[in-house]
Amino acid sequence: MYLQKRQKFLRGYIEYNNGTIIVHGDVTFTSAGSSPIYVKSGTLTITGDEDASLTLKCTSGGSPVQISSANTSANLVLAGGVNFTATRESTVLAIGSYSKNNFETAENYSGDIYLSSKSRAINGGNVNLKTSRSISLSNNVNQSLCNSRKYLTRGKQCCDRGSKCFSNDQCG
């Protein structure tokens, strides 16, 4: 009962427990240095209710999300209905990753995903994003939005490494 009363006074907060970040309300992290989220190894799951959102911004320094280094395996998984935003205001990637790493959604994920950078939105690793809502990738340069080895799925379409989309029956 105490926790329920306390939640009424908090606008947005996160909880961390055993590899899972639970987002309540609207939470924003802004960094002028290192990545707000760095998954060194193992799996980090970000989850929350449909009315929750996690926004990660970098004004300088690294990517909003860095998934491990070249020598280890790490995963970032979006679950539940939390809306996820990662933005970078320069030519650094929104999501930095390496070939052994995964950026994906859990089954029945239902949040919006927005990734933005003046470079690629995502580089490297395996990307498998599926949602019943929307996925938006944006950049300000003449290069592909995503340089990964898997597909992004939004609604009834999937998109390859660039911005070319196919119907679901053509997705790999």
Side-chain angles (χ1 to χ4, degrees):
M1 192 69 161
Y2 172 75
L3 182 58
Q4 288 177 340
K5 287 182 180 179
R6 187 171 158 216
Q7 285 180 351
K8 290 179 182 178
F9 298 106
L10 297 174
R11 297 200 113 129
Y13 66 99
I14 63 169
E15 295 177 71
Y16 177 80
N17 185 12
N18 199 26
T20 301
I21 292 175
I22 304 166
V23 182
H24 302 276
D26 298 329
V27 177
T28 300
F29 290 102
T30 302
S31 173
S34 61
S35 302
I37 291 190
Y38 177 68
V39 185
K40 188 172 182 178
S41 64
T43 298
L44 175 65
T45 301
I46 297 173
T47 189
D49 296 328
E50 300 243 355
D51 61 345
S53 67
L54 178 61
T55 301
L56 306 169
K57 298 178 182 180
C58 273
T59 57
S60 62
S63 298
V65 176
Q66 180 63 49
I67 305 174
S68 191
S69 63
N71 298 325
T72 59
S73 177
N75 307 298
L76 178 63
V77 177
L78 302 177
V82 64
N83 298 315
F84 181 79
T85 299
T87 62
R88 182 63 169 93
E89 297 174 0
S90 74
T91 57
V92 174
L93 310 162
I95 306 286
S97 187
Y98 292 87
S99 63
K100 296 179 184 178
N101 305 323
N102 299 301
F103 176 41
E104 59 195 4
T105 52
E107 190 171 333
N108 298 320
Y109 173 72
S110 61
D112 292 320
I113 300 170
Y114 177 72
L115 307 174
S116 175
S117 174
K118 291 184 181 176
S119 178
R120 285 188 173 102
I122 304 170
N123 190 58
N126 297 304
V127 177
N128 191 5
L129 303 176
K130 297 178 183 177
T131 183
S132 58
R133 306 268 307 265
S134 68
I135 295 174
S136 177
L137 306 176
S138 68
N139 66 9
N140 293 10
V141 293
N142 189 17
Q143 62 179 320
S144 65
L145 293 167
C146 177
N147 180 21
S148 73
R149 299 186 306 202
K150 291 213 176 175
Y151 290 93
L152 307 170
T153 303
R154 62 178 175 230
K156 296 186 178 184
Q157 293 182 320
C158 67
C159 301
D160 67 7
R161 292 190 228 192
S163 57
K164 186 174 180 182
C165 294
F166 309 92
S167 63
N168 270 348
D169 58 351
Q170 296 173 303
C171 297

